[in-house]
Amino acid sequence: MAPPTLVGMTNSMHPSPIGLLNGKVVFITGASRGIGAAAARLFAAEGACVVLAARSTDALDRIVTEIRADGGVADAVPLDLADRTGIRAAVDRVQELHGRLDGAFNNAAAVQQPGPLDTTTDEDIDEQFAVNFRSHWTAMTAEAALMRQAGGGAIVNTSSIGSRRANPALPAYGAMKRALNSITESAAVTWGSEGIRVNGITPGGTATEMIDAWEAVSPGVIEHNIAATPLGRMAAPREVAEVAAWLLSDRASMVTGAMVPVDGGAGA
């Protein structure tokens, strides 16, 4: 029986690859689990050479081995997004491996301890700023510098439905994701003339380890998400990755500065 969070899915949600990213070099952060891991497998199946980054190197190595066994091209680089020097070094590694960068999926995030604004700790706020906002700023500037050498590219940032409205349960997380939306749009306007497209996605409830951890400390979160979603279920990580793949592809050549909802209608 299908997990309750994914009831209603059909095989049409896992279409056969069509070479959407053939020949492209794509860098993915947060690639060891959840949406990032799904993106790594999908992008490679769609023809991209993928470079995967995350703190969990064992998980990355397993995904790289799996992709290579299927005939894909994949490499891994360890990355702590709180380390600005490490982010730049990871992008430099992409250049060492492939000599260019065509696409970047900045997907990694940290989730704060759930609770109202007045109980959120200074340490939680600092982590949210470092990982969910500053890391994207640092990554985008490094990625754009490498893309510029090849005449352009595409960047996709993972934000959240929680960035589009009040987020009383995760106020610091929501605030930093809303700030991420702003720099995504600013980067799109700033770099558009250089052939660099920048877009974001705002997933709603998605069946990942992150929401499982939230459920563990706030029972009922998953049920609430499903009830608030017109499609009546959580998204599978691959469904979110599919939207990122399209935005990174040449099929989205006129799309930049967009924040695309991937929330089953929950934000409508």
PDB file of all heavy atoms in Angstrom, residues 28 30-33 52-65 75-79:
ATOM      1  N   ILE A  28      24.496  20.626  -7.511  1.00  0.00           N
ATOM      2  CA  ILE A  28      23.321  20.465  -6.644  1.00  0.00           C
ATOM      3  C   ILE A  28      23.776  20.470  -5.192  1.00  0.00           C
ATOM      4  O   ILE A  28      24.581  19.632  -4.783  1.00  0.00           O
ATOM      5  CB  ILE A  28      22.588  19.143  -6.929  1.00  0.00           C
ATOM      6  CG1 ILE A  28      22.232  19.008  -8.405  1.00  0.00           C
ATOM      7  CG2 ILE A  28      21.340  19.023  -6.059  1.00  0.00           C
ATOM      8  CD1 ILE A  28      21.803  17.601  -8.795  1.00  0.00           C
ATOM      9  N   GLY A  30      22.682  20.123  -1.049  1.00  0.00           N
ATOM     10  CA  GLY A  30      21.692  19.340  -0.320  1.00  0.00           C
ATOM     11  C   GLY A  30      21.330  18.071  -1.051  1.00  0.00           C
ATOM     12  O   GLY A  30      20.191  17.600  -0.980  1.00  0.00           O
ATOM     13  N   ALA A  31      22.301  17.473  -1.721  1.00  0.00           N
ATOM     14  CA  ALA A  31      22.028  16.363  -2.635  1.00  0.00           C
ATOM     15  C   ALA A  31      22.036  14.996  -1.972  1.00  0.00           C
ATOM     16  O   ALA A  31      21.859  13.989  -2.641  1.00  0.00           O
ATOM     17  CB  ALA A  31      23.054  16.379  -3.771  1.00  0.00           C
ATOM     18  N   SER A  32      22.205  14.941  -0.659  1.00  0.00           N
ATOM     19  CA  SER A  32      22.326  13.633  -0.007  1.00  0.00           C
ATOM     20  C   SER A  32      20.992  13.022   0.372  1.00  0.00           C
ATOM     21  O   SER A  32      20.919  11.833   0.689  1.00  0.00           O
ATOM     22  CB  SER A  32      23.191  13.764   1.253  1.00  0.00           C
ATOM     23  OG  SER A  32      22.568  14.620   2.205  1.00  0.00           O
ATOM     24  N   ARG A  33      19.896  13.806   0.332  1.00  0.00           N
ATOM     25  CA  ARG A  33      18.600  13.269   0.746  1.00  0.00           C
ATOM     26  C   ARG A  33      17.484  14.137   0.183  1.00  0.00           C
ATOM     27  O   ARG A  33      17.718  15.200  -0.381  1.00  0.00           O
ATOM     28  CB  ARG A  33      18.489  13.206   2.271  1.00  0.00           C
ATOM     29  CG  ARG A  33      18.574  14.559   2.954  1.00  0.00           C
ATOM     30  CD  ARG A  33      18.467  14.420   4.448  1.00  0.00           C
ATOM     31  NE  ARG A  33      18.342  15.722   5.116  1.00  0.00           N
ATOM     32  CZ  ARG A  33      18.015  15.875   6.393  1.00  0.00           C
ATOM     33  NH1 ARG A  33      17.794  14.821   7.156  1.00  0.00           N
ATOM     34  NH2 ARG A  33      17.915  17.086   6.916  1.00  0.00           N
ATOM     35  N   LEU A  52      27.475  16.713  -6.897  1.00  0.00           N
ATOM     36  CA  LEU A  52      26.599  16.696  -5.737  1.00  0.00           C
ATOM     37  C   LEU A  52      27.341  17.185  -4.503  1.00  0.00           C
ATOM     38  O   LEU A  52      28.476  16.781  -4.251  1.00  0.00           O
ATOM     39  CB  LEU A  52      26.082  15.280  -5.486  1.00  0.00           C
ATOM     40  CG  LEU A  52      25.617  14.500  -6.721  1.00  0.00           C
ATOM     41  CD1 LEU A  52      25.104  13.133  -6.306  1.00  0.00           C
ATOM     42  CD2 LEU A  52      24.561  15.279  -7.479  1.00  0.00           C
ATOM     43  N   ALA A  53      26.681  18.028  -3.722  1.00  0.00           N
ATOM     44  CA  ALA A  53      27.308  18.585  -2.531  1.00  0.00           C
ATOM     45  C   ALA A  53      26.393  18.443  -1.326  1.00  0.00           C
ATOM     46  O   ALA A  53      25.181  18.652  -1.420  1.00  0.00           O
ATOM     47  CB  ALA A  53      27.646  20.062  -2.752  1.00  0.00           C
ATOM     48  N   ALA A  54      26.987  18.074  -0.187  1.00  0.00           N
ATOM     49  CA  ALA A  54      26.253  17.972   1.076  1.00  0.00           C
ATOM     50  C   ALA A  54      27.264  17.650   2.169  1.00  0.00           C
ATOM     51  O   ALA A  54      28.430  17.340   1.887  1.00  0.00           O
ATOM     52  CB  ALA A  54      25.172  16.897   1.023  1.00  0.00           C
ATOM     53  N   ARG A  55      26.811  17.713   3.414  1.00  0.00           N
ATOM     54  CA  ARG A  55      27.693  17.343   4.525  1.00  0.00           C
ATOM     55  C   ARG A  55      27.840  15.827   4.641  1.00  0.00           C
ATOM     56  O   ARG A  55      28.887  15.330   5.062  1.00  0.00           O
ATOM     57  CB  ARG A  55      27.145  17.912   5.829  1.00  0.00           C
ATOM     58  CG  ARG A  55      27.338  19.415   5.971  1.00  0.00           C
ATOM     59  CD  ARG A  55      26.886  19.916   7.318  1.00  0.00           C
ATOM     60  NE  ARG A  55      25.459  19.693   7.542  1.00  0.00           N
ATOM     61  CZ  ARG A  55      24.820  20.028   8.662  1.00  0.00           C
ATOM     62  NH1 ARG A  55      25.489  20.578   9.666  1.00  0.00           N
ATOM     63  NH2 ARG A  55      23.518  19.803   8.777  1.00  0.00           N
ATOM     64  N   SER A  56      26.793  15.078   4.293  1.00  0.00           N
ATOM     65  CA  SER A  56      26.788  13.622   4.453  1.00  0.00           C
ATOM     66  C   SER A  56      27.490  12.964   3.266  1.00  0.00           C
ATOM     67  O   SER A  56      26.863  12.590   2.274  1.00  0.00           O
ATOM     68  CB  SER A  56      25.357  13.104   4.573  1.00  0.00           C
ATOM     69  OG  SER A  56      25.352  11.705   4.713  1.00  0.00           O
ATOM     70  N   THR A  57      28.799  12.804   3.367  1.00  0.00           N
ATOM     71  CA  THR A  57      29.564  12.285   2.236  1.00  0.00           C
ATOM     72  C   THR A  57      29.263  10.815   1.958  1.00  0.00           C
ATOM     73  O   THR A  57      29.314  10.379   0.807  1.00  0.00           O
ATOM     74  CB  THR A  57      31.066  12.474   2.467  1.00  0.00           C
ATOM     75  OG1 THR A  57      31.431  11.894   3.736  1.00  0.00           O
ATOM     76  CG2 THR A  57      31.430  13.958   2.479  1.00  0.00           C
ATOM     77  N   ASP A  58      28.927  10.039   2.996  1.00  0.00           N
ATOM     78  CA  ASP A  58      28.599   8.632   2.768  1.00  0.00           C
ATOM     79  C   ASP A  58      27.352   8.509   1.894  1.00  0.00           C
ATOM     80  O   ASP A  58      27.306   7.704   0.950  1.00  0.00           O
ATOM     81  CB  ASP A  58      28.374   7.906   4.101  1.00  0.00           C
ATOM     82  CG  ASP A  58      29.659   7.688   4.879  1.00  0.00           C
ATOM     83  OD1 ASP A  58      30.741   7.835   4.273  1.00  0.00           O
ATOM     84  OD2 ASP A  58      29.581   7.381   6.082  1.00  0.00           O
ATOM     85  N   ALA A  59      26.345   9.309   2.204  1.00  0.00           N
ATOM     86  CA  ALA A  59      25.116   9.282   1.403  1.00  0.00           C
ATOM     87  C   ALA A  59      25.392   9.759  -0.019  1.00  0.00           C
ATOM     88  O   ALA A  59      24.870   9.193  -0.985  1.00  0.00           O
ATOM     89  CB  ALA A  59      24.045  10.151   2.054  1.00  0.00           C
ATOM     90  N   LEU A  60      26.217  10.788  -0.162  1.00  0.00           N
ATOM     91  CA  LEU A  60      26.566  11.278  -1.500  1.00  0.00           C
ATOM     92  C   LEU A  60      27.262  10.187  -2.305  1.00  0.00           C
ATOM     93  O   LEU A  60      26.970   9.996  -3.493  1.00  0.00           O
ATOM     94  CB  LEU A  60      27.489  12.494  -1.408  1.00  0.00           C
ATOM     95  CG  LEU A  60      26.887  13.834  -0.989  1.00  0.00           C
ATOM     96  CD1 LEU A  60      27.966  14.906  -1.026  1.00  0.00           C
ATOM     97  CD2 LEU A  60      25.728  14.230  -1.881  1.00  0.00           C
ATOM     98  N   ASP A  61      28.189   9.497  -1.667  1.00  0.00           N
ATOM     99  CA  ASP A  61      28.929   8.455  -2.382  1.00  0.00           C
ATOM    100  C   ASP A  61      28.004   7.346  -2.869  1.00  0.00           C
ATOM    101  O   ASP A  61      28.196   6.807  -3.965  1.00  0.00           O
ATOM    102  CB  ASP A  61      30.017   7.869  -1.471  1.00  0.00           C
ATOM    103  CG  ASP A  61      31.172   8.840  -1.237  1.00  0.00           C
ATOM    104  OD1 ASP A  61      31.308   9.801  -2.025  1.00  0.00           O
ATOM    105  OD2 ASP A  61      31.922   8.642  -0.260  1.00  0.00           O
ATOM    106  N   ARG A  62      26.988   7.015  -2.071  1.00  0.00           N
ATOM    107  CA  ARG A  62      26.040   5.983  -2.502  1.00  0.00           C
ATOM    108  C   ARG A  62      25.249   6.446  -3.722  1.00  0.00           C
ATOM    109  O   ARG A  62      25.016   5.665  -4.659  1.00  0.00           O
ATOM    110  CB  ARG A  62      25.085   5.636  -1.353  1.00  0.00           C
ATOM    111  CG  ARG A  62      25.723   4.841  -0.232  1.00  0.00           C
ATOM    112  CD  ARG A  62      24.675   4.256   0.692  1.00  0.00           C
ATOM    113  NE  ARG A  62      23.942   5.285   1.421  1.00  0.00           N
ATOM    114  CZ  ARG A  62      24.329   5.781   2.600  1.00  0.00           C
ATOM    115  NH1 ARG A  62      25.455   5.353   3.172  1.00  0.00           N
ATOM    116  NH2 ARG A  62      23.588   6.686   3.207  1.00  0.00           N
ATOM    117  N   ILE A  63      24.857   7.701  -3.740  1.00  0.00           N
ATOM    118  CA  ILE A  63      24.089   8.221  -4.877  1.00  0.00           C
ATOM    119  C   ILE A  63      24.965   8.298  -6.120  1.00  0.00           C
ATOM    120  O   ILE A  63      24.540   7.950  -7.228  1.00  0.00           O
ATOM    121  CB  ILE A  63      23.476   9.591  -4.537  1.00  0.00           C
ATOM    122  CG1 ILE A  63      22.465   9.439  -3.396  1.00  0.00           C
ATOM    123  CG2 ILE A  63      22.803  10.207  -5.757  1.00  0.00           C
ATOM    124  CD1 ILE A  63      21.995  10.754  -2.812  1.00  0.00           C
ATOM    125  N   VAL A  64      26.215   8.743  -5.943  1.00  0.00           N
ATOM    126  CA  VAL A  64      27.150   8.798  -7.072  1.00  0.00           C
ATOM    127  C   VAL A  64      27.356   7.405  -7.657  1.00  0.00           C
ATOM    128  O   VAL A  64      27.327   7.218  -8.888  1.00  0.00           O
ATOM    129  CB  VAL A  64      28.498   9.402  -6.621  1.00  0.00           C
ATOM    130  CG1 VAL A  64      29.588   9.146  -7.664  1.00  0.00           C
ATOM    131  CG2 VAL A  64      28.350  10.906  -6.390  1.00  0.00           C
ATOM    132  N   THR A  65      27.547   6.414  -6.803  1.00  0.00           N
ATOM    133  CA  THR A  65      27.734   5.037  -7.269  1.00  0.00           C
ATOM    134  C   THR A  65      26.519   4.560  -8.047  1.00  0.00           C
ATOM    135  O   THR A  65      26.639   3.922  -9.104  1.00  0.00           O
ATOM    136  CB  THR A  65      28.000   4.111  -6.069  1.00  0.00           C
ATOM    137  OG1 THR A  65      29.202   4.520  -5.417  1.00  0.00           O
ATOM    138  CG2 THR A  65      28.142   2.671  -6.523  1.00  0.00           C
ATOM    139  N   ASP A  75      29.788  13.223  -9.612  1.00  0.00           N
ATOM    140  CA  ASP A  75      30.871  13.361  -8.654  1.00  0.00           C
ATOM    141  C   ASP A  75      30.307  14.010  -7.402  1.00  0.00           C
ATOM    142  O   ASP A  75      29.237  14.624  -7.436  1.00  0.00           O
ATOM    143  CB  ASP A  75      31.996  14.233  -9.226  1.00  0.00           C
ATOM    144  CG  ASP A  75      32.722  13.572 -10.376  1.00  0.00           C
ATOM    145  OD1 ASP A  75      33.625  12.755 -10.108  1.00  0.00           O
ATOM    146  OD2 ASP A  75      32.373  13.869 -11.533  1.00  0.00           O
ATOM    147  N   ALA A  76      31.043  13.864  -6.293  1.00  0.00           N
ATOM    148  CA  ALA A  76      30.588  14.410  -5.017  1.00  0.00           C
ATOM    149  C   ALA A  76      31.651  15.310  -4.416  1.00  0.00           C
ATOM    150  O   ALA A  76      32.853  15.095  -4.605  1.00  0.00           O
ATOM    151  CB  ALA A  76      30.261  13.275  -4.045  1.00  0.00           C
ATOM    152  N   VAL A  77      31.177  16.314  -3.685  1.00  0.00           N
ATOM    153  CA  VAL A  77      32.072  17.207  -2.972  1.00  0.00           C
ATOM    154  C   VAL A  77      31.453  17.500  -1.607  1.00  0.00           C
ATOM    155  O   VAL A  77      30.264  17.791  -1.516  1.00  0.00           O
ATOM    156  CB  VAL A  77      32.319  18.513  -3.761  1.00  0.00           C
ATOM    157  CG1 VAL A  77      31.022  19.226  -4.081  1.00  0.00           C
ATOM    158  CG2 VAL A  77      33.277  19.431  -3.019  1.00  0.00           C
ATOM    159  N   PRO A  78      32.225  17.368  -0.524  1.00  0.00           N
ATOM    160  CA  PRO A  78      31.661  17.676   0.795  1.00  0.00           C
ATOM    161  C   PRO A  78      31.431  19.177   0.942  1.00  0.00           C
ATOM    162  O   PRO A  78      32.224  19.987   0.449  1.00  0.00           O
ATOM    163  CB  PRO A  78      32.738  17.171   1.765  1.00  0.00           C
ATOM    164  CG  PRO A  78      34.010  17.208   0.980  1.00  0.00           C
ATOM    165  CD  PRO A  78      33.622  16.912  -0.434  1.00  0.00           C
ATOM    166  N   LEU A  79      30.348  19.547   1.617  1.00  0.00           N
ATOM    167  CA  LEU A  79      30.026  20.969   1.732  1.00  0.00           C
ATOM    168  C   LEU A  79      29.206  21.240   2.978  1.00  0.00           C
ATOM    169  O   LEU A  79      28.159  20.632   3.197  1.00  0.00           O
ATOM    170  CB  LEU A  79      29.243  21.430   0.492  1.00  0.00           C
ATOM    171  CG  LEU A  79      28.738  22.874   0.510  1.00  0.00           C
ATOM    172  CD1 LEU A  79      29.901  23.849   0.607  1.00  0.00           C
ATOM    173  CD2 LEU A  79      27.901  23.165  -0.720  1.00  0.00           C
TER     174      LEU A  79
END
